[in-house]
């Protein structure tokens, strides 16, 4: 069958969730080392909502209408060449390089092969679509930057979110003593994921009850929360800060307090995703999908995400499994 267009959710301009509308957009043409994937499910991320809203420091696109979305899980339609490791029909998942490519809120996406890994066999496409961007962010912060290890004390600020629930699990997997912040309703679940201590941020703030951690992973987009978390660090400790917008304000405060600090920016990475696949298939790590929406309900998913109380991930179902 020759396609000329495909179904997608697009924005014509930045604004609220209602700007996400269905449209027929050009079918992607695969070039060079790209893999063309039929998308079964697309993960929803805070950076998608930031781009949609045109928030400062979010990725900008100059291709309008813009197909948003980074995460996808689906099936290979076209591989770069006959002897490539990925073949048509293979179940895969990965992270599109939006805004430098068309996003994943669509029936098809064409992405560099280095962004695509085999889908964990034990996961459905809906579950797998919740993994790439959040797990790659958590892995980068926990393993590559903080170098999680036995006995290290790690505070994960917002342990119950998309990135947080992977960060808690990766840090615990590598033997760290994990303290996670979250609301009371998530306390038991966070302990199941591997948190040794949970601080209910509504009744006590982590800086008052947690001391001498080696690392703070900041996943709360709130200058005051980030700044207070510095008090939980031991002298010379490290803060790794994910929200782009508040990084500039935090860096000089960390330096003035004699702490090490860095921002972070996630990138597509098939090799790391292959490791994450093994951890998911072995059951050492799990993904939690809080809710699933149809592709054309993307606006509802964005509204929900922007309330900032998702447990784990939200996913869009593009076609049936
Ligand atoms: N730099 C990068 O490459 C990168 C990549 C990914 C994400 N990010 C950023 O990292 C942040 C987290 O992303 P995400 O996808 O994990 O977000 P998310 O899934 O929307 O986070 C939702 C979670 O935040 C928790 N939360 C809200 N306010 C909190 C507070 N004051 N203290 C503790 N927990 C709180 C909620 O827990 P309760 O329901 O228990 O309240 C909820 O589980 C965002 O700012 C995002 O933009 C950056």
């Amino acid at each position: 069958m020759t396609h000329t267009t495909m179904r997608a959710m697009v924005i014509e301009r930045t604004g609220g969730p209602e700007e996400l509308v269905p449209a027929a957009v050009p079918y992607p043409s695969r070039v060079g080392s790209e893999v063309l994937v039929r998308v079964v499910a697309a993960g929803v991320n805070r950076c998608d909502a930031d781009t949609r809203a045109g928030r400062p420091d979010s990725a900008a696109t100059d291709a309008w209408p813009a197909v948003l979305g980074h995460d996808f899980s689906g099936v290979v339609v076209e591989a770069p060449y006959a002897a490539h490791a990925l073949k048509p029909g293979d179940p895969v998942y990965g992270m599109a390089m939006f805004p430098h490519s068309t996003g994943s809120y669509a029936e098809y996406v064409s992405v560099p092969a280095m962004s695509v890994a085999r889908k964990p066999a034990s996961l459905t496409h809906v579950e797998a679509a919740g993994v790439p961007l959040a797990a790659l962010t958590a892995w980068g912060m926990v393993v590559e930057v903080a170098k999680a290890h036995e006995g290290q004390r790690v505070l994960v600020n917002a342990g119950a979110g998309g990135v947080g629930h992977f960060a808690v699990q990766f840090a615990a997997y590598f033997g760290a003593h994990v303290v996670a912040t979250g609301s009371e309703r998530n306390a038991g679940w966070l302990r199941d994921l591997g948190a040794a201590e949970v601080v209910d941020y509504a009744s006590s703030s982590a800086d008052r009850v947690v001391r001498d951690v080696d690392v703070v992973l900041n996943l709360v987009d709130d200058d005051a929360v980030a700044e207070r978390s510095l008090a939980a660090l031991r002298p010379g400790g490290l803060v790794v800060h994910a929200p782009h917008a508040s990084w500039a304000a935090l860096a000089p405060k960390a330096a003035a307090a004699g702490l090490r600090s860095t921002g972070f920016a996630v990138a597509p990475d098939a090799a790391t995703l292959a490791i994450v696949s093994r951890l998911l298939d072995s059951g050492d790590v799990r993904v939690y999908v809080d809710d699933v929406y149809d592709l054309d309900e993307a606006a509802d998913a964005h509204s929900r995400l922007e309330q900032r109380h998702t447990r784990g991930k939200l996913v869009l179902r593009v076609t049936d499994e």
Side-chain angles (χ1 to χ4, degrees), residues 92-169:
V92 291
Y93 73 147
M95 181 184 153
M97 259 312 250
F98 178 85
H100 297 295
S101 68
T102 309
S104 59
Y105 293 5
E107 288 179 292
Y108 295 87
V109 70
S110 190
V111 286
M114 60 176 234
S115 318
V116 189
R118 275 173 205 284
K119 179 180 78 63
S122 60
L123 266 52
T124 62
H125 284 292
V126 162
E127 291 166 332
V131 174
L133 189 144
L136 288 172
T137 304
W139 185 273
M141 295 174 76
V142 170
V143 183
E144 291 166 10
V145 178
K147 309 209 180 314
H149 57 266
E150 195 74 39
Q152 185 186 48
R153 286 169 54 78
V154 178
L155 171 63
V156 181
N157 248 331
V163 179
H165 86 302
F166 285 118
V168 167
Q169 294 180 83

Side-chain angles (χ1 to χ4, degrees), residues 46 137 158 160-163 181 183 185-186 201 219 242 264 266 309-310:
R46 288 274 289 278
T137 304
V163 179
T181 63
S183 57
R185 79 183 172 99
N186 284 321
Y201 64 86
L219 301 168
F264 183 78
V266 66
H309 293 292
T310 309

Side-chain angles (χ1 to χ4, degrees), residues 8-277:
M9 288 302 285
V10 304
I11 53 168
E12 304 270 0
R13 56 177 181 248
T14 57
E18 69 285 354
E19 296 297 341
L20 275 160
V21 291
V25 300
Y27 183 76
S29 46
R30 196 198 63 76
V31 291
S33 69
E34 287 182 353
V35 178
L36 178 65
V37 176
R38 179 174 63 78
V39 179
V40 177
V44 180
N45 287 288
R46 288 274 289 278
C47 49
D48 304 348
D50 291 343
T51 302
R52 188 218 71 230
R55 283 191 260 276
D57 293 326
S58 63
T61 175
D62 49 14
W64 300 96
V67 181
L68 299 185
H70 291 79
D71 286 340
F72 62 85
S73 183
V75 178
V76 174
V77 176
E78 244 180 78
Y81 48 89
H84 195 273
L86 295 174
K87 306 270 183 271
D90 284 348
V92 291
Y93 73 147
M95 181 184 153
M97 259 312 250
F98 178 85
H100 297 295
S101 68
T102 309
S104 59
Y105 293 5
E107 288 179 292
Y108 295 87
V109 70
S110 190
V111 286
M114 60 176 234
S115 318
V116 189
R118 275 173 205 284
K119 179 180 78 63
S122 60
L123 266 52
T124 62
H125 284 292
V126 162
E127 291 166 332
V131 174
L133 189 144
L136 288 172
T137 304
W139 185 273
M141 295 174 76
V142 170
V143 183
E144 291 166 10
V145 178
K147 309 209 180 314
H149 57 266
E150 195 74 39
Q152 185 186 48
R153 286 169 54 78
V154 178
L155 171 63
V156 181
N157 248 331
V163 179
H165 86 302
F166 285 118
V168 167
Q169 294 180 83
F170 291 152
Y173 179 81
F174 286 103
H177 177 95
V178 180
V179 185
T181 63
S183 57
E184 208 252 318
R185 79 183 172 99
N186 284 321
W189 179 69
L190 284 165
R191 284 201 181 85
D192 280 353
L193 294 182
E197 299 173 53
V198 179
V199 178
D200 171 9
Y201 64 86
S203 58
S204 55
S205 95
D207 58 294
R208 281 204 228 121
V209 290
V210 185
R211 279 283 175 275
D212 285 330
V213 297
D214 301 295
V215 178
V216 170
L217 305 175
N218 253 330
L219 301 168
V220 181
D221 192 7
D222 179 321
D223 288 359
V225 172
E227 190 179 338
R228 281 203 308 270
S229 72
L230 300 180
L233 279 159
R234 66 162 170 78
L238 171 69
V239 56
V240 191
H241 190 74
H244 294 294
S246 45
W247 167 238
L250 186 68
K253 287 173 183 146
L259 301 166
R260 293 171 296 142
S261 68
T262 181
F264 183 78
V266 66
D269 178 355
T272 298
L273 271 186
I275 298 171
V276 170
S277 291

